[in-house]
Amino acid sequence: MKSKTVYVCTECGNETMKWQGKCSACGAWNTIVEFKESSAKKASGGSSGFVARTPQRLHEITGTGELRFFTGMGELDRVLGGGAVKGSLVLVSGAPGIGKSTLLLQICEQICKEQSVLYISGEESEHQLKLRADRLQVHTDKLFVLSETNLGNALEAISALDPEVVIIDSVQTMYRPENDSAPGSVSQVKDCTMILMQLCKQTGVTVFVVGHVNKEGSIAGPKVLEHMVDCVLYFEGERTNSYRLLRAEKNRFGSTNEIGVFEMDESGLVEVPNPSEMLLSGRPKGTPGTCVACVMEGSRPILAEVQALVARTTFNVPRRTSVGIDYNRMNLLLAVMEKRAGMNLSAFDAYVNVIGGLTLDEPASDLPVVIAIASSGRDQAVDEHLAAIGEVGLTGELRAVSNLQQRLSELSRLGFKRCIIPRQGTADITAPEGLTLLRARNIREAVEAALVDKEP
């Protein structure tokens, strides 16, 4: 049996015939790994029990719309685009211990009310799965478990049981005997995922696959793994923090902007239907350097607290650090504040942080960052019932953002009394009951409106 050796970049999937330190396609260093392609791989379709399919005319294909089913986790269904799609391949990734296996085992309780589920684990025995299911209070007759790492044996069990949903935990532990590479290698992960993709498309089985991440935070294995699956979900959060964020990096059947929020407790993952209250809990009152932002995560507005600290530097070049805000965007806003608002920030260190682990990447968060920095620089607190929404231009002007009316309604619902918004482009915006709108043309007016001693 002859084998062909190629070298694959784990970042972008580019293949070369020789090893090199830097990938010629994406420019990443030390990402080229050896990949042996066996000649038996060409017959993988037949050896896996799949038959060749014949082309069909597009107008002759029956069925309209996507067949979805609910997983029982509203936050997960939201991220998936309204539920899981039958016949789809979903990759759930995240750091070890973040809650991937817990989430997938919990949704079995609801799914098994109407469908059968086969949970295949390459990391735990059947007894260990039973103990974890008891802890999560998952009790159902339609949930089958199997401890197996041989993909061939797993496919035989799927064929014999014929379940509607299959969970593979994890793809890095699965291997094909026809492939000489070790489990978890680029070759094995690529082959196993390809066969699972064929299983989904030809039989209509929904497959959830768990994928581990490397120390850089990306999915371990070839980048082509993300291209083959229908949906890529990332579990984010600190292991020392009880809150978890589920984000869709890729979704062929829905939006990639939605996020789901969970809290990990002793009984498993609990949904957080109102993440704004969670992110604002524990917010200090009467303390300079904080402002509330309202950003859109998919179709719902979420409130987040932006904190800033400005301190006189002891270095020749002041330090700049940002967490949850793009570093270059923060430097741009600091330059605009110094040039257009008359604030001397070149002699001060500046630190910006978004509480709760959120990443604010839309322009609507510009104005809250500016107000938080100005509040810390002047050592003057912002009213706890005030929020800010707006994009900041290089000339210091404020520009309107999308979904402004929806954002204001969320602020009013959570008890905010005032909100600073751009004057331009907001003439048709009406203030919800109990919320006063403060319109500003530029950041100088916005800062003066925010840093007042008393409410008007």
Side-chain angles (χ1 to χ4, degrees), residues 202-275:
Q202 296 193 17
T203 64
V205 176
T206 304
V207 179
F208 290 89
V209 177
V210 175
H212 297 305
V213 297
N214 52 31
K215 60 182 180 180
E216 287 81 17
S218 57
I219 298 176
K223 195 69 175 178
V224 71
L225 174 63
E226 299 181 39
H227 302 323
M228 287 190 289
V229 301
D230 297 312
C231 184
V232 179
L233 304 182
Y234 273 96
F235 239 136
E236 304 172 357
E238 299 293 334
R239 298 185 63 181
T240 56
N241 192 348
S242 61
Y243 293 106
R244 304 285 190 268
L245 296 180
L246 183 65
R247 190 184 304 273
E249 291 291 325
K250 172 188 175 182
N251 192 354
R252 288 175 178 162
F253 310 109
S255 172
T256 57
N257 296 323
E258 298 285 357
I259 67 168
V261 184
F262 300 86
E263 183 178 7
M264 178 71 78
D265 60 13
E266 62 276 2
S267 61
L269 288 169
V270 179
E271 298 178 77
V272 181
N274 194 346

Side-chain angles (χ1 to χ4, degrees), residues 344-410:
N344 180 22
L345 298 172
S346 58
F348 293 84
D349 296 333
Y351 308 89
V352 177
N353 179 39
V354 180
I355 301 300
L358 272 183
T359 299
L360 307 185
D361 54 2
E362 69 165 325
S365 60
D366 288 351
L367 186 55
V369 173
V370 168
I371 292 177
I373 294 174
S375 172
S376 178
R378 295 186 180 183
D379 199 23
Q380 190 174 356
V382 177
D383 177 30
E384 61 177 305
H385 298 295
L386 180 139
I389 303 171
E391 179 184 0
V392 176
L394 290 180
T395 61
E397 85 282 5
L398 298 182
R399 297 178 177 269
V401 297
S402 61
N403 303 107
L404 184 56
Q405 193 70 57
Q406 189 176 356
R407 301 173 199 252
L408 296 177
S409 299
E410 179 71 6

Side-chain angles (χ1 to χ4, degrees), residues 288-307:
T290 177
C291 184
V292 173
C294 185
V295 297
M296 296 297 298
E297 291 289 350
S299 59
R300 66 176 173 182
I302 292 182
L303 273 59
E305 179 187 356
V306 179
Q307 290 187 347

